[in-house]
Amino acid sequence: MAALRSCGQGVLQNRTPFNNILKQYDVLTGTVHKTTKLPLLAKHFSTKHNSGFRNKWKFWSCIIGTGALGSMYLLNSQKLVLNADYPGQSIVPTKQVRFDEDKTELKLTLFQFVTCPFCCKVRAMLNYNGISHDVVEVNSITRTQIKWSKYKKVPIIVIQGVGEEGYLQVNDSSVIMSVLESYLFDKTVPLDKLLTYYPAIEKKTGGRFISRTVQDFPNRNFLMFQEHISDKRSPEDRAEERKMRNWVDTVFVHLISPNVYRTPQESLDTFNWFSQAGDWETNFSNFQKNTIIYIGAFVMYLVGKKLKKKHHLQDDVRMSLYEGGDTWIRNLKGGKFMGGDKPNLADLSMYGVLTAMEGTEAFRDMLSHTKMKPWFERTKTAVNGHAGANRVRE
């Protein structure tokens, strides 16, 4: 990069002789040039004019160049055996989570970003119910670990030993939670049959030139069980659970990024915490880790600003975050949990997305400015204590 910059500066500083050579060549070849604004552009890049513009140009060149080189390195360094008999067979788990009280006999592999709010939701449910599982940490830049999947988002759960192909892939955090919860209610219904009750609707989004196909699951928050099975809750309670699960996914989750990436320093601090929480020191090379931290922090700072505008948040985004916390507490209506005496899927969803920001300044500010802390601590105790393990269904 230094050599290229020196070469460029040499050309600019000796622009007159260089232009004379070009003119002589044009005379010999008979080339006629139309009048352009290139001299004005050259003026901006000269060493004698507009130093501020040149400094910005150098800054963006370094950012783009570093990102391109980093991405090329990461793509070349991530080598996996793909197209195995089932996804995950050829990928060594990042971590194995085992619970002695697990009686489900499920063999689950969770593909995740460790601090993705939607992945945190799924982990909260698995831990609360004491369901053993393997974890594969996906590189957030290359996503090589999910190259095998047509669905390119996380979380993805792969359940081995289920279905005609020997595995079952379940996409979307809310669908994952609903399928597993429905299975815990009535294990006589096979998981592959349960998944058919959550059809994906594909639709294209984007503009005229760039578009992509996304999947939507209209009934993602519904539980599916036979008529003779009852969870002893009223239809109103089940509807309230669905409503709050949807609120977490469509409202509260959008308050996180603008707050944890509110300033460049907060963005960098957040990514450093991500690195610590996800054990990136072990899972990635030092170059990969630093590339993700610094480029990620810069990009997400810009994304946070865009999301603030998109979701019409207040100028001080902390105020919107506090309002979200107050809304949750109001809907508790004085109860210990949204589910009454024990957490339901709405509690686990809200707790999960909060753990995605637990090590940030935004999280600490929210606990100190709202009444969220007692509920959060109760839910944390229930999740870490696997209070939902071995639940008896009638």
Side-chain angles (χ1 to χ4, degrees):
M1 184 175 289
L4 289 173
R5 186 172 59 189
S6 298
C7 177
Q9 289 177 344
V11 170
L12 292 172
Q13 290 172 353
N14 298 280
R15 192 165 62 253
T16 301
F18 184 74
N19 287 342
N20 288 336
I21 293 172
L22 290 178
K23 288 178 180 178
Q24 292 175 11
Y25 175 80
D26 292 341
V27 170
L28 291 173
T29 59
T31 303
V32 178
H33 292 286
K34 294 182 179 180
T35 303
T36 67
K37 295 184 179 180
L38 285 177
L40 290 176
L41 184 61
K43 178 180 177 181
H44 283 301
F45 285 97
S46 71
T47 56
K48 298 179 181 179
H49 299 85
N50 209 335
S51 61
F53 186 91
R54 288 189 299 104
N55 288 336
K56 290 181 181 179
W57 174 75
K58 290 177 182 179
F59 172 75
W60 283 105
S61 296
C62 289
I63 290 293
I64 296 171
T66 302
L69 290 173
S71 299
M72 291 170 61
Y73 176 85
L74 291 171
L75 286 169
N76 289 329
S77 62
Q78 296 286 329
K79 296 180 179 179
L80 299 171
V81 180
L82 304 178
N83 300 320
D85 291 339
Y86 56 83
Q89 184 183 46
S90 58
I91 302 175
V92 178
T94 306
K95 182 169 63 172
Q96 293 181 319
V97 181
R98 298 291 180 265
F99 300 106
D100 293 336
E101 60 268 36
D102 183 14
K103 301 296 189 298
T104 64
E105 299 183 354
L106 295 175
K107 296 181 180 180
L108 306 179
T109 301
L110 170 64
F111 292 81
Q112 66 160 23
F113 302 149
V114 68
T115 49
C116 161
F118 300 103
C119 299
C120 292
K121 285 170 49 184
V122 173
R123 286 204 313 274
M125 185 201 178
L126 294 175
N127 292 337
Y128 175 73
N129 290 291
I131 301 175
S132 300
H133 57 282
D134 292 342
V135 176
V136 173
E137 188 66 23
V138 177
N139 188 306
S140 59
I141 294 179
T142 66
R143 304 194 182 210
T144 311
Q145 293 83 356
I146 55 173
K147 292 284 187 184
W148 50 266
S149 173
K150 293 182 180 180
Y151 184 80
K152 297 303 180 183
K153 295 181 179 181
V154 291
I156 296 172
I157 281 276
V158 172
I159 309 174
Q160 301 173 15
V162 176
E164 296 179 357
E165 298 180 353
Y167 71 88
L168 188 68
Q169 178 182 343
V170 188
N171 307 323
D172 186 272
S173 62
S174 294
V175 173
I176 292 171
M177 295 174 73
S178 295
V179 167
L180 292 177
E181 184 76 359
S182 299
Y183 181 72
L184 292 176
F185 267 104
D186 184 7
K187 296 179 182 177
T188 64
V189 181
L191 282 162
D192 52 343
K193 184 175 181 180
L194 280 173
L195 186 58
T196 63
Y197 301 148
Y198 299 90
I201 297 177
E202 294 188 348
K203 57 182 180 181
K204 286 191 175 182
T205 62
R208 180 184 303 176
F209 301 106
I210 300 177
S211 63
R212 60 192 179 96
T213 301
V214 298
Q215 290 185 343
D216 186 32
F217 303 87
N219 60 340
R220 55 166 59 89
N221 292 319
F222 282 79
L223 300 185
M224 305 294 174
F225 45 84
Q226 301 180 72
E227 291 183 1
H228 68 277
I229 302 294
S230 172
D231 63 357
K232 298 182 179 180
R233 294 183 300 172
S234 67
E236 291 75 20
D237 289 338
R238 290 195 290 269
E240 184 69 12
E241 180 187 53
R242 292 194 298 270
K243 184 189 80 171
M244 294 310 298
R245 288 178 68 189
N246 184 66
W247 177 83
V248 171
D249 286 349
T250 60
V251 178
F252 188 83
V253 76
H254 297 307
L255 305 178
I256 295 178
S257 291
N259 275 278
V260 299
Y261 309 121
R262 183 177 60 161
T263 65
Q265 186 59 53
E266 278 190 79
S267 187
L268 184 58
D269 290 344
T270 297
F271 267 84
N272 280 318
W273 176 70
F274 287 171
S275 176
Q276 180 181 355
D279 197 18
W280 290 358
E281 194 79 33
T282 301
N283 297 328
F284 304 118
S285 70
N286 193 52
F287 180 85
Q288 290 175 320
K289 182 194 74 171
N290 288 329
T291 299
I292 295 172
I293 289 175
Y294 288 100
I295 294 182
F298 175 77
V299 171
M300 291 310 298
Y301 167 69
L302 300 179
V303 169
K305 297 298 182 186
K306 183 177 180 180
L307 292 176
K308 172 186 174 181
K309 182 178 180 180
K310 178 180 179 181
H311 298 291
H312 309 291
L313 305 188
Q314 297 185 40
D315 289 338
D316 183 354
V317 291
R318 284 289 196 271
M319 295 298 104
S320 296
L321 183 65
Y322 302 156
E323 285 184 4
D326 291 337
T327 298
W328 178 262
I329 294 302
R330 282 197 304 272
N331 280 274
L332 283 178
K333 300 173 183 177
K336 293 173 61 177
F337 302 103
M338 199 65 65
D341 292 333
K342 58 185 179 181
N344 63 11
L345 292 184
D347 289 287
L348 297 176
S349 295
M350 185 63 170
Y351 171 79
V353 300
L354 286 175
T355 59
M357 56 185 292
E358 192 171 1
T360 67
E361 180 182 340
F363 178 79
R364 293 188 290 272
D365 285 348
M366 188 187 69
L367 291 192
S368 64
H369 288 81
T370 68
K371 297 179 180 179
M372 290 282 291
K373 188 172 182 178
W375 168 86
F376 182 82
E377 294 296 337
R378 284 194 299 268
T379 310
K380 186 173 187 176
T381 299
V383 170
N384 291 344
H386 324 305
N390 298 323
R391 290 181 292 173
V392 178
R393 301 298 190 189
E394 295 180 0

